Amino acid sequence: MDVEDVMDVALYIYNECFRKKYRSPDEMKLHKLLYFAQRESLVRHDQPLFAEEFEGWKYGPVCVSVRRQYHSRQFEDEKKYTDIAQKLSAESRDIIHSVLKVYGEKESWSLSDITHGEYSWKQSRTGIRDGENGSNRMLLDDIRIDAARIRERRNRLKKADKAGALFNSASYVPVIHEEDLSAATGECVDVAEQIKKICNKLVRRAKDEKADEKAE
């Protein structure tokens, strides 16, 4: 997979938000969508979408080079969007579209809250009190840990879905949303354990349904 230019990715995200009438992509939202696109690339390919790093600011990940371009009004130059789609690979565009499908309608502050649950952001904030400014790097290997968590969760849900079909259970599989994965105390939830409970619940439900059928 080719490594993209971060500004091409940012411009494409910004343009798609307007084109598909998602909520207005202010600067905070743009940085968070960039982060999720980077993480999604690691989920799928274990390779970064772009080379630039993020810093762990108090409101979540920030790509400083994109911030500079944003404040120099580069995103207001319509010429920048000419053939922007052709500058990215089909896979890169698909990654971005999948991210926008999940996060495009969310408000900036909601996305900020979600990123505060990310291991990579928490690591970058080590030694910094809540609400304080900080500019520590978010390491790519730490984002890989977040990506591995998402990958594992998706694999578990796929297995749960197959298990439900095997036991002729109800087709609905509860989805654990990322913003619900951290407790109010800020402690991390064991995602694998939560999904294991879902699988066990599906199996029990299937057995109960079979018992009901025999009773009838």
Side-chain angles (χ1 to χ4, degrees), residues 55-58 60 124-125 128-129 131-137:
E55 292 183 358
W57 289 26
K58 64 180 178 180
S124 73
R125 301 288 295 177
I128 303 173
R129 288 185 295 183
E132 283 189 353
N133 291 320
S135 58
N136 293 337
R137 290 185 305 134

Side-chain angles (χ1 to χ4, degrees), residues 4-13 34 37 49-50 88 96:
E4 306 287 4
D5 182 286
V6 70
M7 270 304 293
D8 288 342
V9 175
L11 286 166
Y12 188 75
I13 289 174
L34 274 172
L49 183 60
F50 45 83
L88 300 177
I96 292 169

Side-chain angles (χ1 to χ4, degrees), residues 26-36 39 55-62 103 105-122 125 131 138 178-179 182:
D26 58 22
E27 187 193 356
M28 181 189 289
K29 182 170 182 174
L30 180 61
H31 289 299
K32 307 309 172 268
L33 293 174
L34 274 172
Y35 169 79
F36 289 125
R39 191 189 67 182
E55 292 183 358
W57 289 26
K58 64 180 178 180
Y59 296 128
V62 170
Y103 300 108
E105 291 288 351
K106 295 184 181 297
E107 297 281 2
S108 303
W109 289 104
S110 175
L111 296 180
S112 175
D113 288 342
I114 294 172
T115 60
H116 285 186
E118 296 287 286
Y119 173 81
S120 54
W121 181 81
K122 290 179 179 179
R125 301 288 295 177
M138 293 175 62
E178 291 165 33
E179 55 265 44
S182 295

Side-chain angles (χ1 to χ4, degrees), residues 36-208:
F36 289 125
Q38 182 78 309
R39 191 189 67 182
E40 181 64 22
S41 181
L42 294 170
V43 169
R44 296 188 184 191
H45 307 292
D46 198 32
Q47 295 294 327
L49 183 60
F50 45 83
E52 279 72 12
E53 295 180 320
F54 290 93
E55 292 183 358
W57 289 26
K58 64 180 178 180
Y59 296 128
V62 170
C63 184
V64 176
S65 63
V66 171
R67 176 175 169 78
R68 293 194 193 102
Q69 296 295 320
Y70 189 94
H71 284 276
S72 65
R73 300 186 180 278
Q74 294 300 308
F75 286 83
E76 297 176 15
D77 184 357
E78 294 184 2
K79 295 179 181 179
K80 294 283 186 181
Y81 301 100
T82 304
D83 299 326
I84 189 63
Q86 282 66 47
K87 294 181 180 179
L88 300 177
S89 69
E91 175 59 18
S92 295
R93 294 196 302 273
D94 187 65
I95 287 172
I96 292 169
H97 291 160
S98 68
V99 166
L100 291 178
K101 185 176 180 180
V102 175
Y103 300 108
E105 291 288 351
K106 295 184 181 297
E107 297 281 2
S108 303
W109 289 104
S110 175
L111 296 180
S112 175
D113 288 342
I114 294 172
T115 60
H116 285 186
E118 296 287 286
Y119 173 81
S120 54
W121 181 81
K122 290 179 179 179
Q123 287 297 105
S124 73
R125 301 288 295 177
T126 300
I128 303 173
R129 288 185 295 183
D130 290 346
E132 283 189 353
N133 291 320
S135 58
N136 293 337
R137 290 185 305 134
M138 293 175 62
L139 302 180
L140 186 63
D141 283 344
D142 288 343
I143 302 177
R144 279 195 168 94
I145 292 174
D146 289 312
R149 170 177 60 86
I150 299 301
R151 190 185 306 115
E152 174 66 15
R153 190 190 75 188
R154 291 177 185 175
N155 289 338
R156 293 268 184 174
L157 287 173
K158 285 180 182 178
K159 290 179 181 179
D161 194 29
K162 289 180 180 179
L166 178 64
F167 287 101
N168 194 31
S169 181
S171 60
Y172 171 70
V173 177
V175 175
I176 302 175
H177 294 287
E178 291 165 33
E179 55 265 44
D180 298 328
L181 290 178
S182 295
T185 59
E187 296 178 359
C188 292
V189 172
D190 188 334
V191 179
E193 183 63 27
Q194 294 297 317
I195 297 176
K196 183 178 179 181
K197 289 180 180 179
I198 294 173
C199 292
N200 291 336
K201 187 181 293 184
L202 286 172
V203 172
R204 288 196 301 270
R205 185 192 301 171
K207 289 181 179 179
D208 291 342

